[in-house]
Amino acid sequence: MSALLIVGAGGFARETAQAVRDSGDVELLGHLDDNAALHGTEVDGVPVLGGCDLVHGLPEARVVICVGNPRDYAARARLVRRLGLPDDRYATVIHPTAAVSATSEVGPGSVLLAHCVLTAAVRVGAHVAVMPQVVLTHDDVVEDFATITSGVRLGGGVRLERGAYVGSGALVREGTAVGAWSQIGMGSTVLGDVPPGEVWAGSPARRLRAAAAPALDELMTKQLGGPVA
């Protein structure tokens, strides 16, 4: 049985821990979190062992990074870059109720929670968070560090570019693209392409403003050819 560390101890990390427990084939060692107040405590019965850098002291354990929220959905990318682990240290967590077709692919460090569906030839990159009840249909491409929250539905041939965040219950029309580090508001209906680094919401979705600074910083880093995870 392989051993696993979950980096983070918030809501997403707790949901991932439950998915690991439900699978029953991985030894969950505990959470790592930089909040020192949590060290030595338990979260839903799972111990918080120490800070995130403890991954380097437990080299035999696989790792999954479960941080980020709508206000800073770039946190996962920053932490992957900071830890500097090779791809083969990262686990892929797929809840046993998720339906992943044989023609679909899921990258290292990604998490698929309960009742997700990947229908045919779906490609999910690295360090992607897919929350419960998400449906990804034929030929969808989800790039690294994207976040797809509960109840999202993507039509066929949709591309979510690097770091895109799609809010709960959003619908994305077939053949459209959501640009890198853009954010789609919950319950929105996306009928056309969304440029990088913007916040869109509504039905039909329209531009509200530029994305928050952490997302724009990640977008600029990639555009300038700087370090990327």
Side-chain angles (χ1 to χ4, degrees):
M1 179 179 289
S2 60
L4 179 71
L5 294 165
I6 296 177
V7 177
F12 176 34
R14 293 166 57 204
E15 291 176 322
T16 301
Q18 188 59 57
V20 172
R21 288 167 160 175
D22 289 346
S23 70
D25 58 358
V26 175
E27 179 189 5
L28 180 55
L29 297 180
H31 294 280
L32 304 180
D33 197 285
D34 286 337
N35 181 357
L38 294 176
H39 297 173
T41 68
E42 291 188 348
V43 178
D44 297 340
V46 179
V48 181
L49 303 175
C52 299
D53 291 314
L54 189 58
V55 294
H56 302 296
L58 296 165
E60 301 304 316
R62 306 289 298 281
V63 178
V64 64
I65 295 181
C66 300
V67 300
N69 57 65
R71 295 168 297 284
D72 183 7
Y73 49 94
R76 203 155 56 251
R78 293 197 306 273
L79 194 47
V80 167
R81 189 159 56 242
R82 170 185 141 191
L83 295 178
L85 299 175
D87 284 348
D88 62 8
R89 279 292 305 276
Y90 286 107
T92 300
V93 175
I94 299 176
H95 193 277
T97 63
V100 180
S101 68
T103 55
S104 296
E105 302 174 1
V106 182
S110 290
V111 176
L112 275 60
L113 293 179
H115 304 292
C116 296
V117 178
L118 280 61
T119 62
V122 175
R123 288 192 291 134
V124 174
H127 307 290
V128 173
V130 183
M131 303 303 180
Q133 302 284 348
V134 167
V135 177
L136 308 179
T137 56
H138 67 87
D139 304 304
D140 287 339
V141 176
V142 181
E143 296 185 5
D144 299 351
F145 301 108
T147 301
I148 309 174
T149 60
S150 301
V152 168
R153 303 289 190 265
L154 304 186
V158 167
R159 178 178 290 272
L160 300 185
E161 296 181 0
R162 182 182 180 89
Y165 182 104
V166 184
S168 298
L171 306 175
V172 183
R173 186 177 185 174
E174 67 274 6
T176 59
V178 176
W181 299 106
S182 281
Q183 184 175 28
I184 305 301
M186 61 189 300
S188 297
T189 302
V190 179
L191 299 180
D193 292 349
V194 174
E198 296 187 357
V199 177
W200 284 47
S203 184
R206 301 181 185 277
R207 184 186 190 276
L208 295 183
R209 59 184 180 274
L216 292 181
D217 289 346
E218 286 296 323
L219 180 62
M220 187 61 66
T221 297
K222 182 68 179 292
Q223 289 175 339
L224 293 177
V228 295

